[in-house]
Amino acid sequence: MPEPPATAALVVWDITYACPLRCVHCYSESGRRPARQLGHADLLRVADAIAELRPMAVAFAGGEPLLIPGLAEVAERLRRTGARIGLYTSGWRLTPAQVEMMERALDIVHVSVDGATAAVNDRIRGRAGAYDRAMAALGLLDAAAARRHAAGRSGLEFGIDYVVTRGNLSEVELFCREVLPRFPRLHSVSFGAAVPSGLASRPGFVEHELLDDAQCDLLTDPGYLRHLRSLAPAGTQVLAVDNRILAVHPDAVAQGRALPLMQVEPDGGVRAMAIYEGIVGNLLTDPPEQVWRRAVQRWSDPVVVAALEPARTMRQWAEALRKLDHHFGTDDDRARIDRRPAYQP
């Protein structure tokens, strides 16, 4: 068996669970639970702990990272390590001043948009006006990129993150044809299949919205990807992923294909596997390398292997995830899971 990854190459830090939106598929259940965000001094301590791992890339997510005061200093501290620093935002309250902060502190920002039309996007994102605000945010970023280009400067890249469900799969081509050309300086768009995590693991969501295996295969078919790229502006990178690598399937672990990803919760807790419940330590109290070793050990835990080994389809993956969330989650996690409202299509 290959040696496990010595460190986390990628770190996703859900820096707060506060969020203005109520996405039906939200993996972190942000906006529906306490924000759990740290004070500024502790944020810097967590940043220093992440820096000890020397990751290639760190992404701020949530929740809405732009709600964090002093985010620029946290990002700049991590950026000094040489890591590529990114941020995921809904763009709900993006301001010109925040764009200027991003230009100083980040390498790339991803705006979440989950439909080519307001009707589809806003249904998924849970707030009327989410589409228009995301378009406005992309407009601000595009204008800033045009100014940098005119001044002969490079800098902050911006992209779009599109979570693909059954309800918006039919709008992917329309998105490439009609939305992407609005933003000439757009760096990339990523069409990523929803994964059965958080609210997206609910049986009703799995039944009605999670892509099935044939749809995932279509999304990642090279011919389909070439088609999407033919519809998009020439300067925009188009990516399409099924995200099945996030399952941490025993086969992937045995073959050395497990993604070396660390997921950090707002209070510094670290999940053993990014989209599953189950904390293996906290970066405020435990040595970062030790926390990473515990995470890697969880990948081969007998309970994990027994649950995931038979999981060969998207539905089976969702069933396995629910089992593991109940097993490794805390009492508070299980209570939160049990309180989730049934998904209503």
Side-chain angles (χ1 to χ4, degrees), residues 63-87:
E64 176 50 72
L66 293 178
L67 295 175
I68 298 293
L71 179 64
E73 184 181 359
V74 179
E76 289 167 345
R77 184 168 294 200
L78 284 164
R79 202 179 189 193
R80 287 198 291 269
T81 68
R84 181 172 169 83
I85 309 301
L87 179 144

Side-chain angles (χ1 to χ4, degrees), residues 70-115:
L71 179 64
E73 184 181 359
V74 179
E76 289 167 345
R77 184 168 294 200
L78 284 164
R79 202 179 189 193
R80 287 198 291 269
T81 68
R84 181 172 169 83
I85 309 301
L87 179 144
Y88 289 83
T89 178
S90 69
W92 183 262
R93 293 192 180 96
L94 188 67
T95 66
Q98 288 175 324
V99 173
E100 292 178 7
M101 177 276 289
M102 291 174 172
E103 290 182 298
R104 296 192 310 271
L106 302 175
D107 296 293
I108 187 166
V109 57
H110 307 268
V111 179
S112 297
V113 187
D114 292 340

Side-chain angles (χ1 to χ4, degrees), residues 144-226:
R147 289 194 295 272
R148 290 193 301 275
H149 179 77
R153 297 185 291 113
S154 59
L156 180 72
E157 296 172 350
F158 73 104
I160 295 173
D161 183 63
Y162 187 118
V163 176
V164 185
T165 66
R166 293 190 201 183
N168 66 14
L169 177 60
S170 64
E171 293 208 341
V172 166
E173 293 182 26
L174 181 65
F175 196 86
C176 290
R177 285 197 308 268
E178 296 193 5
V179 176
L180 299 186
R182 300 181 197 176
F183 311 107
R185 302 292 174 187
L186 183 71
H187 175 264
S188 58
V189 58
S190 175
F191 297 105
V195 298
S197 178
L199 294 181
S201 70
R202 292 175 292 174
F205 187 92
V206 173
E207 176 71 23
H208 295 285
E209 290 289 353
L210 198 71
L211 298 187
D212 61 27
D213 298 280
Q215 290 167 325
C216 282
D217 291 342
L218 167 66
L219 184 65
T220 56
D221 179 83
Y224 182 67
L225 182 56
R226 285 194 296 272

Side-chain angles (χ1 to χ4, degrees), residues 13-26:
W13 185 0
D14 288 338
I15 199 166
T16 180
Y17 288 146
C19 186
L21 303 187
R22 298 294 181 269
C23 299
V24 298
H25 61 278
C26 185

